[in-house]
């Protein structure tokens, strides 16, 4: 059972609710007159149902079957109430979605024309929070500390956005849509009254602030900024699927707009950078179209003498090229681009003409691209767009010219210098082998390059030293010059002084090693020769000193023997005593000859030409040489009968013979050392043959030998059957320091000395040689005409007597002083003696009015004979002198007579008498 009053009240409530819904629709202006009629009907019926319920309030309950109409009314009223409720909800959702669609539409149009990313975000947030929009909208990007930085916010709670510390890490604030979307890159929505994350502290803070739902959509996660857009609503049921999809599409268009802005900004930046770079280029840059300048940088204007880059516009490019064919060359360059396509360029060097008619040497580079089929504002253009680069290469050309000149100069110096120059790699391999290396070593460059210097060129004993030197260069240690021998292609060795130096690359690292060498073979030979000459000079000085002392001794011996011979009577009983004296004199004369040879060796004997018996000289040389050469070599001589004397210097003839004999010996020894040395040898073995003969040179011979002279000559020939020489060696055999002998066997001065001596004697020397058969040297000396050697025996000499003249005799040897006094006194002279030059001056000063003649030894202590003579002459210019010495004085002795030591007693007497008779007695 149920009360009818309760049913009337329920129906009244449902009918009044329906009336309220209709009134809501009427007030929202969503419906028309139908809903107004329904409002009146539902309101009236609700009031009637309420009145009926009051009337039947106290009636007893009845069964529902008794009042079916009331139940039907209640059911129908419920249906109308439910319909109105669904209508309110549907219309509310429709209106909200319509409002959101309008907002999104406005957002799409809000950033049209905006050229800044920040301004786009501001417009989007402001429109989203405008009428019909959301309560709060903001854009953010992540920070490295895990927080989200708000870029821009708009809406009712935009000022309080800083109180919501959204994060994108694993913190409580990071579980809300902004943090999750930034981490995952997907759209995130939170709506309704779910337990999570609304039950957290951040959720309670958001609910207190009235933010009941939220959506976050990533704008761009590909860029480092990873921007997101977030919208908050106070409607817990906002952001349904349709609204979320619309919001996501809207954010996608925002992303496209931001990308477009970024591309434009990048393009503007790149264009600005390109403009700045082109404008600041030191080279002149010209942009051309159809040979007309459409843009130019300041460097081009300055280079071409224009006021500024604007004055270059529309200038025909061919007008700045000074060459006559420049326009055609420029056209060919453009035509070449048309055929070759984009990216082609042409470069050449030419003379560029400035506006003021001056010019410079420049490099022109033309690069051209086609405008056909390109999009953009230049799409209406046709033809080719080109860029011309001008570069002033006057200084570069000058530098290159200087470098070429220096390179040419260096190559010429390297070619003409006497230095061997090689460049070695880091492994010691030869990279450069200059012409001097080829000439000295005999190896061509093609055979040397690529080989190791130490094993290819350096002699075996010196290879380790060179390896150490090479490692020292690579270690940059200080170096000293190294002298070593090299092996040549001819099998002999040359001495070379080496210096090493590193060559560095651009990074300061050693890239190679330069080696320079000077051939010092001839220098070392000369030094050795000089040392030998110094030794010989020292020996000569010693021999000269010994000879001087022996001269004094022999002078005393010969003088004493002459006196003894004079005092021995002619009786038969004295003949036995006379013979030993005669033998002693002969032996002493042999000693005199020996002493004269020592003086000749020391070069202190008189160097004068006189009649020389060539046969005696040859005999002496052959006897001496036969005792010193190898016993396998036979030396013999032949002197023509009745050979006249030669007008020559004995010592120099002796030197010529010795040098030629030594040369013949070396030639034979060279043939003995070869493997086939005995091939073609005569049956008599190895020999040297010296001969002398007189020849008459006529005009026919002079025509064959241009340097010969007509007349009578003595020909000295030295033959050998040694190794012989070819024509090339014969042409150089008389050159100083030229030798084919091994190290230590020759200096290259022997034959050149022979040639010089023969030429000084107004003669000449010929050579006739054949390889493997031997050599003949023929030296021609002039014959001594109408001159005979003085060979008087001492027994036939008649001593002239004196006239009691007073003679001052000075000598530091007491034996010679006593001998001179005895000899001269025995001939009627009065003799005053002195033991040195100073005493002689004192004695003369005391007896200057009495002394008729002064005999002085040149070599005396305290004062020499020359010094004493000059001092005496200062007191008495008319004084007469005889100077005596074992060798010819170097200084001028004036009108004084010279008496060489050792002298015989009769020679002293004759010289004194001749000196006194020259000017008469005082």
């Amino acid at each position: 059972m149920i009360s009818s009053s309760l049913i009337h009240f329920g129906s009244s409530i449902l009918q009044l609710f329906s009336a309220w819904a209709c009134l809501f629709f009427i007030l929202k202006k969503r419906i028309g007159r139908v809903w107004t009629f329904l409002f009146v009907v539902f309101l009236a019926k609700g009031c009637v149902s309420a009145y009926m319920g009051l009337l039947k309030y106290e009636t007893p309950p009845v069964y529902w079957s008794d009042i079916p109409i009331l139940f039907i009314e209640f059911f129908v009223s419920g249906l109308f109430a439910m319909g109105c409720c669904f209508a309110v909800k549907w219309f509310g959702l429709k209106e909200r979605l319509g409002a959101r669609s309008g907002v999104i539409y406005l957002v799409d149009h809000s950033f049209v024309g905006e050229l800044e990313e920040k301004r786009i975000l501001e417009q989007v947030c402001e429109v989203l929070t405008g009428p019909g929009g959301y309560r709060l909208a903001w854009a953010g990007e992540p920070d490295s500390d895990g927080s989200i930085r708000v870029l821009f916010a708009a809406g009712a709670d935009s000022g309080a956005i800083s109180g919501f510390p959204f994060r994108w890490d694993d913190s409580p604030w990071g579980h809300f849509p902004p943090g999750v979307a930034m981490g995952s890159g997907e759209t995130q929505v939170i709506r309704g009254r779910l337990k999570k994350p609304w039950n957290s502290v951040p959720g309670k803070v958001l609910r207190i602030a009235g933010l009941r739902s939220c959506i976050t959509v990533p704008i761009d996660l590909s860029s480092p900024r990873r921007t997101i857009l977030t919208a908050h609503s106070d409607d817990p049921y906002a952001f349904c699927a349709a609204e979320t999809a619309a919001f996501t599409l809207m954010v996608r268009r925002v992303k496209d707009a931001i990308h477009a802005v970024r591309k434009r900004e990048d393009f503007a930046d790149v264009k600005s950078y390109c403009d700045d770079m082109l404008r600041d280029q030191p080279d002149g840059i010209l942009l051309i179209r159809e040979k007309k300048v459409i843009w130019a940088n300041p460097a081009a204007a300055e280079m071409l003498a224009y006021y500024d880059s604007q004055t270059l516009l529309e200038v025909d490019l061919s007008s700045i090229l000074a060459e006559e064919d420049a326009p055609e060359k420029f056209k060919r360059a453009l035509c070449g681009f048309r055929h070759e396509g984009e990216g082609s360029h042409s470069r050449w060097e030419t003379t560029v003409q400035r506006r003021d008619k001056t010019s410079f040497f420049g490099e022109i580079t033309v690069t051209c691209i086609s405008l056909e089929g390109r999009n953009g504002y230049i799409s209406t253009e046709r033809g080719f767009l080109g860029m011309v680069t001008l570069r002033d290469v006057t200084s570069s050309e000058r530098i290159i010219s200087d470098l070429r000149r220096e390179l040419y100069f260096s190559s010429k110096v390297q070619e003409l210098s006497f230095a061997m120059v090689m460049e070695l790699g880091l492994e010691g391999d030869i990279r450069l082998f200059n012409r001097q290396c080829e000439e000295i070593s005999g190896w061509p460059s093609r055979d040397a390059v690529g080989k190791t210097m130490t094993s290819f060129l350096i002699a075996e004993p010196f290879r380790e030293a060179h390896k150490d030197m090479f490692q020292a260069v690579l270690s940059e240690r200080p170096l000293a010059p190294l002298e070593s021998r090299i092996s040549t292609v001819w099998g002999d060795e040359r001495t070379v002084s080496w210096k090493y130096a590193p060559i560095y690359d651009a990074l300061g690292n050693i890239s190679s090693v330069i080696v320079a060498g000077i051939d010092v073979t001839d220098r070392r030979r000369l030094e050795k020769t000089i040392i030998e000459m110094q030794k010989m000079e020292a020996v000569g000085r010693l021999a000269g000193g010994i000879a001087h002392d022996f001269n004094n001794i022999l002078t005393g011996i010969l003088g004493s023997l002459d006196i003894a011979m004079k005092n021995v009577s002619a009786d038969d009983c004295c003949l036995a005593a006379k013979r030993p004296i005669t033998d002693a004199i002969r032996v002493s004369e042999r000693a005199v000859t020996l002493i004269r040879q020592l003086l000749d060796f020391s070069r202190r004997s008189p160097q004068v030409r006189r009649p020389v018996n060539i046969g005696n000289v040859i005999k002496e040389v052959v006897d001496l040489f036969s005792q010193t050469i190898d016993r396998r070599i036979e030396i013999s001589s032949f002197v023509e009968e009745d050979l006249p004397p030669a007008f020559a210097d004995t010592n120099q003839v002796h030197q010529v013979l010795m040098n030629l004999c030594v040369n013949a010996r070396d030639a034979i020894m060279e043939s003995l050392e070869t493997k086939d040395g005995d091939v073609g040898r005569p049956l008599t073995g190895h020999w040297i043959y010296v001969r002398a003969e007189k020849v008459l040179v006529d005009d026919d011979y002079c025509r064959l030998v241009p340097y010969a002279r007509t007349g009578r000559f003595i020909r000295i020939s030295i033959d050998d059957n040694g190794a012989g020489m070819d024509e090339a060696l014969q042409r150089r055999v008389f050159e100083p320091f030229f030798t084919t002998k091994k190290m230590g066997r020759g200096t290259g001065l022997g034959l050149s000395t022979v040639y010089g001596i023969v030429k000084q004697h107004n003669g000449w020397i010929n050579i006739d040689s054949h390889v493997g058969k031997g050599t003949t040297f023929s030296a021609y000396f002039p014959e001594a005409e109408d001159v005979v050697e003085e060979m008087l025996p001492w027994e036939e000499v008649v001593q002239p007597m004196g006239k009691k003249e007073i003679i001052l005799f000075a000598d530091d040897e007491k034996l010679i002083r006593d001998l001179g006094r005895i000899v001269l006194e025995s001939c009627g002279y009065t003799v005053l003696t002195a033991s040195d030059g100073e005493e002689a001056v004192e004695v003369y000063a005391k007896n200057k009015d009495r002394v008729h003649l002064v005999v002085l030894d040149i070599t005396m202590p305290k004062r020499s004979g020359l010094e004493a003579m000059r001092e005496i002459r200062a007191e008495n210019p008319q004084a007469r002198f005889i100077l005596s010495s074992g060798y010819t004085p170097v200084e001028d002795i004036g009108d004084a007579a010279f008496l060489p030591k050792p002298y015989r007693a009769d020679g002293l007497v004759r010289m004194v008498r001749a000196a006194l008779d020259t000017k008469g007695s005082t």
Side-chain angles (χ1 to χ4, degrees), residues 359-537:
S359 61
F360 64 91
F361 194 74
E363 179 187 81
I364 297 180
T365 304
V366 180
T367 305
C368 203
I369 60 174
S370 175
L371 301 180
E372 301 292 340
R374 291 184 175 267
N375 297 324
Y377 73 96
I378 62 172
S379 60
T380 57
E381 301 292 342
R382 294 294 183 268
F384 284 80
L385 178 66
M387 183 176 72
V388 178
T389 303
L390 299 177
R391 177 174 296 173
D392 188 351
V393 295
T394 305
S395 58
S396 301
E397 185 68 20
R398 188 181 302 112
I399 293 173
I400 293 174
S401 177
D402 294 341
L403 290 176
R404 287 174 180 167
R405 191 182 304 110
E406 291 182 6
L407 180 61
Y408 178 76
F409 178 78
S410 300
S411 63
K412 281 299 181 183
V413 169
Q414 177 181 316
E415 181 181 351
L416 298 177
S417 68
F418 294 99
M420 302 173 63
V421 179
M422 286 180 286
E423 183 183 2
L424 306 181
L426 298 181
E427 299 298 328
D429 54 304
I430 299 175
R431 297 180 179 176
L432 172 67
F433 200 74
N434 75 334
R435 182 184 60 83
Q436 195 68 15
C437 292
E438 296 179 341
E439 291 183 357
I440 294 176
S441 68
W443 298 102
S445 177
R446 62 178 179 274
D447 294 341
V449 172
K451 297 183 179 179
T452 305
M453 172 188 170
T454 52
S455 60
F456 174 72
L457 196 63
I458 305 301
E460 177 65 30
F462 303 93
R463 291 179 180 176
E464 291 300 325
H466 275 271
K467 291 179 180 179
D468 295 340
M469 179 75 80
F470 186 78
Q471 294 300 324
V473 172
L474 298 181
S475 303
E476 300 185 5
R477 298 199 303 269
L479 303 172
L482 174 64
E483 191 169 298
S484 64
R485 292 196 297 271
I486 64 172
S487 302
T488 66
V489 72
W490 304 287
D492 59 344
E493 293 184 347
R494 308 285 296 180
T495 302
V496 179
S497 179
W498 301 100
K499 294 190 73 175
Y500 284 69
I503 297 179
Y504 298 93
D505 57 15
L507 300 178
N509 300 320
I510 296 178
S511 60
S512 59
V513 176
I514 193 76
V515 182
I518 300 296
D519 185 3
V520 295
T521 306
D522 296 336
R523 184 185 304 175
R524 296 296 175 260
R525 288 175 179 171
L526 177 59
E527 291 174 354
K528 188 174 182 179
T529 302
I530 292 174
I531 292 173
E532 295 295 332
M533 291 173 64
Q534 290 174 346
K535 291 180 181 179
M536 297 297 291
E537 183 180 0

Side-chain angles (χ1 to χ4, degrees), residues 651-717:
N651 296 327
Q652 292 185 340
V653 173
H654 185 278
Q655 186 176 1
V656 167
L657 287 170
M658 287 296 295
N659 285 341
L660 291 177
C661 288
V662 169
N663 187 76
R665 179 203 64 186
D666 293 341
I668 294 175
M669 295 302 297
E670 181 181 349
S671 66
L672 288 174
E673 293 176 358
T674 58
K675 294 182 179 179
D676 57 344
D678 294 334
V679 178
R681 297 298 178 198
L683 298 176
T684 54
H686 302 280
W687 46 261
I688 299 175
Y689 185 45
V690 183
R691 67 180 186 273
E693 53 192 345
K694 61 179 181 293
V695 294
L696 177 62
V697 179
D698 54 13
D699 294 334
D700 294 336
Y701 182 84
C702 291
R703 281 192 291 270
L704 297 176
V705 183
Y707 45 81
R709 296 187 301 110
T710 58
R712 296 181 179 274
F713 290 87
I714 306 299
R715 181 173 63 193
I716 302 175
S717 301

Side-chain angles (χ1 to χ4, degrees), residues 286-295 312-321 326-335 338 366 368 382-388:
L286 301 173
L287 296 183
I288 60 172
R289 184 183 295 117
E290 298 298 329
K291 296 193 301 181
K292 299 293 184 179
V293 178
I294 61 174
W295 185 89
L312 267 170
L313 301 183
E314 299 300 324
V315 172
D316 189 349
L317 185 64
S318 60
S319 64
I320 67 174
L321 304 178
E328 294 298 327
K329 184 178 293 186
F330 186 73
K331 290 179 181 178
R332 288 197 301 271
L334 292 181
C335 291
R338 289 186 174 91
V366 180
C368 203
R382 294 294 183 268
F384 284 80
L385 178 66
M387 183 176 72
V388 178

Side-chain angles (χ1 to χ4, degrees), residues 752-787:
S752 62
T753 302
V754 169
Y755 182 83
I757 291 175
V758 175
K759 291 290 288 184
Q760 290 175 2
H761 283 77
N762 297 323
W764 66 92
I765 184 170
N766 292 337
I767 180 173
D768 182 19
S769 182
H770 301 279
V771 177
K773 295 183 178 181
T775 304
T776 299
F777 285 95
S778 299
Y780 292 79
F781 289 91
E783 182 181 321
E785 300 177 356
D786 301 330
V787 180

Side-chain angles (χ1 to χ4, degrees), residues 342-371:
E342 293 186 17
S344 301
H345 64 276
S346 178
R347 179 184 293 110
W348 71 90
E349 293 181 354
T350 182
T351 303
V352 180
Q353 184 173 336
R354 298 187 179 94
R355 188 180 185 184
D356 55 4
K357 302 305 180 181
T358 60
S359 61
F360 64 91
F361 194 74
E363 179 187 81
I364 297 180
T365 304
V366 180
T367 305
C368 203
I369 60 174
S370 175
L371 301 180

Side-chain angles (χ1 to χ4, degrees), residues 839-867:
E839 185 179 357
V841 174
E842 294 176 356
V843 172
Y844 185 85
K846 294 178 182 179
N847 303 278
K848 62 181 178 180
D849 295 333
R850 301 171 51 222
V851 176
H852 297 84
L853 179 65
V854 180
V855 181
L856 297 172
D857 184 21
I858 292 179
T859 305
M860 291 188 297
K862 295 185 179 179
R863 290 185 185 178
S864 66
L866 292 173
E867 292 175 344

Side-chain angles (χ1 to χ4, degrees), residues 540-669:
R541 289 181 181 273
L542 177 62
I546 295 173
H548 174 72
D549 293 336
F550 269 102
N551 275 332
N552 290 334
I553 296 172
L554 289 174
T555 300
I557 292 173
L558 287 172
S560 299
L561 291 174
D562 286 341
I563 294 173
M565 181 63 73
K566 183 178 180 182
N567 292 332
V568 174
S569 64
D571 297 338
D572 294 337
C573 62
C574 295
L575 291 176
K578 187 175 182 180
R579 183 168 297 173
I581 296 175
T582 303
D583 293 339
I585 291 174
R586 294 185 184 279
V587 172
S588 299
E589 288 179 344
R590 291 182 60 188
V592 169
T593 303
L594 177 62
I595 296 303
R596 183 168 288 112
Q597 289 178 353
L598 287 175
L599 289 174
D600 291 342
F601 174 76
S602 63
R603 301 293 190 268
R604 295 192 175 189
S605 61
Q607 299 294 322
V608 294
R609 298 179 191 173
R610 60 178 183 269
V612 177
N613 189 334
I614 297 297
N616 294 337
V617 179
I618 291 177
K619 183 178 183 302
E620 179 182 350
V621 170
V622 170
D623 291 342
L624 176 62
F625 201 70
S626 63
Q627 303 299 321
T628 59
I629 62 174
D630 194 297
R631 296 302 180 184
R632 293 175 292 178
I633 303 175
E634 177 186 355
I635 181 169
S636 59
S637 62
F638 168 78
V639 179
E640 186 180 358
E641 295 182 0
D642 301 328
L643 183 69
F647 190 67
D649 183 277
T650 305
N651 296 327
Q652 292 185 340
V653 173
H654 185 278
Q655 186 176 1
V656 167
L657 287 170
M658 287 296 295
N659 285 341
L660 291 177
C661 288
V662 169
N663 187 76
R665 179 203 64 186
D666 293 341
I668 294 175
M669 295 302 297

